[in-house]
Amino acid sequence: MADMADTTDTTGEAGGADATGSAPAPARRQIEDKFPRGILVRVLVYVFAGHALAAFIYLLFTLGGNQ
């Protein structure tokens, strides 16, 4: 029952419309459509740190296997 979905937000108003019944402001829609920059930076840092840790562990096993 997709048409029976609850679309109320935290204020109790219907989602997608304000108190006057108009659509959300364009500036708000642009903010909602953009991917948050902080998350992108955090993901890139975690990926880099994970690869650096993996390379260090690989180096340890490589040097330890030679002895």
Side-chain angles (χ1 to χ4, degrees), residues 17-31:
D18 59 5
T20 61
S22 63
R28 182 172 175 94
R29 170 169 269 174
Q30 182 182 8
I31 291 172

Side-chain angles (χ1 to χ4, degrees), residues 1-44:
M1 298 237 172
D3 58 340
M4 299 298 287
D6 182 19
T7 60
T8 56
D9 59 6
T10 57
T11 61
E13 298 175 351
D18 59 5
T20 61
S22 63
R28 182 172 175 94
R29 170 169 269 174
Q30 182 182 8
I31 291 172
E32 291 175 353
D33 291 341
K34 285 180 79 175
F35 193 74
R37 187 175 192 165
I39 294 176
L40 180 63
V41 170
R42 187 178 303 159
V43 166
L44 291 176

